[in-house]
Amino acid sequence: MLEHGGNLRDAAREYGRPIGEWIDLSTGINPHWYAAPAPDANAWHRLPEADPALAAAACSYYGAPAMLPVAGTQAAIQALPRLRAPSRVVVAAPSYAEHAHHWGQHGHQLRQVPYAHLGDAVDHCDVLVVCNPNNPTGERIAPAVLLGWAEKLAARGGWLVVDEAFGDTETHASLGQHTSQPGLIVLRSVGKFFGLAGLRLGFVAAHPALLAQLADLLGPWTVSGPAQQVALAALNDTHWQDAMRERLRGEGLRLQQLLAAHGIASGGTALFQWWPEARAEACWRHMAEAGIWVRLFRHAAHGIRLGLPPDEPAWLRLQQALTAWKNT
């Protein structure tokens, strides 16, 4: 399997520090997670048939005409390549690595193209996959540009797949409302903004015919009953959502400013910052020795990504570690 953030047990084993003594900034998941209500008792007993109220709440929250709940967007990322005959596929690079990993299978012809050059690739592929905002760099492509690409691809039976996992604080940029048109597929995650990665729940917005194909491929009971009930509460809690967006925007700016104060010019989203780092491995190791687990990118994005500290003591430890790094 590919390497991802959140592997805190690996960090604890490698550096001999108990898990409870670490600050995990490696994932970009909201550290102020939604307070999940206790599910009804029968959620543990009944087979988890799909609740239409969950799909309706998702459509309302994400602004999409039709959505399919899936067991995390990872399930859709793995399944979508199986719904097409061998195709010419372009995946942005750098990007969330699972996209290229799975499109590289099932007989597809895969190319990874730098994020800035994706526009040049549209006329030479059948499927284009892009994260918007990009993970890990935080780069963005304007919705109007993406919609133009989607139209070109759809005209020849192609797809534009847009992963909006980090898009909850930038709702104006979502393409969800346009997904009734064939060939446009948008992936959304409950794990990042709501801080509920353990639910393993995401949504796919697309033309109903494609959603039906995807549902048939994934099979029945893909989302647990407790996960459905918790997500329904979170998606309907507009007061929490509004307050959290404001909080995360403020903390994201604070993180960017903290890095800048230590000579680091970063970019990202409200949930994470990333920067190219010439001594990326050394920086990652330095942070780990201070008990701060950040994400090291060794290849296409040679740099460091880190998420938001969960509390003031964690902010202070991060500041101290950055000061020590600056003085190395």
Side-chain angles (χ1 to χ4, degrees), residues 7-23:
N7 52 337
L8 204 54
R9 294 185 191 280
D10 294 341
R13 181 173 57 252
E14 182 173 351
Y15 288 90
R17 182 189 294 263
I19 287 179
E21 297 180 8
W22 286 87
I23 299 171

Side-chain angles (χ1 to χ4, degrees), residues 161-253:
V161 181
V162 184
D163 185 341
E164 296 181 351
F166 285 99
D168 292 67
T169 57
E170 304 176 21
T171 54
H172 63 282
S174 176
L175 299 187
Q177 62 182 309
H178 303 285
T179 50
S180 59
Q181 63 188 58
L184 177 59
I185 303 166
V186 172
L187 309 179
R188 300 300 303 246
S189 171
V190 168
K192 307 298 190 299
F193 172 70
F194 290 98
L196 296 175
L199 276 187
R200 304 314 306 139
L201 178 62
F203 294 91
V204 182
H207 188 276
L210 191 145
L211 293 182
Q213 289 181 281
L214 182 58
D216 286 345
L217 178 60
L218 293 174
W221 312 307
T222 58
V223 179
S224 75
Q228 291 189 53
Q229 292 190 8
V230 170
L232 182 59
L235 292 170
N236 284 330
D237 195 338
T238 56
H239 176 75
W240 184 93
Q241 296 158 16
D242 292 342
M244 186 53 63
R245 284 192 187 95
E246 183 176 356
R247 179 177 186 175
L248 292 177
R249 289 176 187 132
E251 293 189 3
L253 179 60

Side-chain angles (χ1 to χ4, degrees), residues 30 37 130 132 208 213 232 250 286 298 315 327:
N30 183 0
V130 59
N132 200 49
Q213 289 181 281
L232 182 59
H286 167 84
R298 292 185 170 91
W315 279 100
N327 293 330

Side-chain angles (χ1 to χ4, degrees), residues 129-147:
V129 183
V130 59
C131 296
N132 200 49
N134 192 31
N135 176 18
T137 65
E139 294 172 279
R140 294 157 177 80
I141 297 173
V145 173
L146 290 171
L147 288 173

Side-chain angles (χ1 to χ4, degrees), residues 1-4 74 77-78 81 91 95-105:
M1 291 189 291
L2 300 180
E3 181 181 344
H4 294 287
Q74 181 66 31
I77 290 169
Q78 293 181 201
V91 177
S95 186
Y96 179 58
E98 293 287 342
H99 289 293
H101 179 67
H102 291 285
W103 280 104
Q105 303 173 24

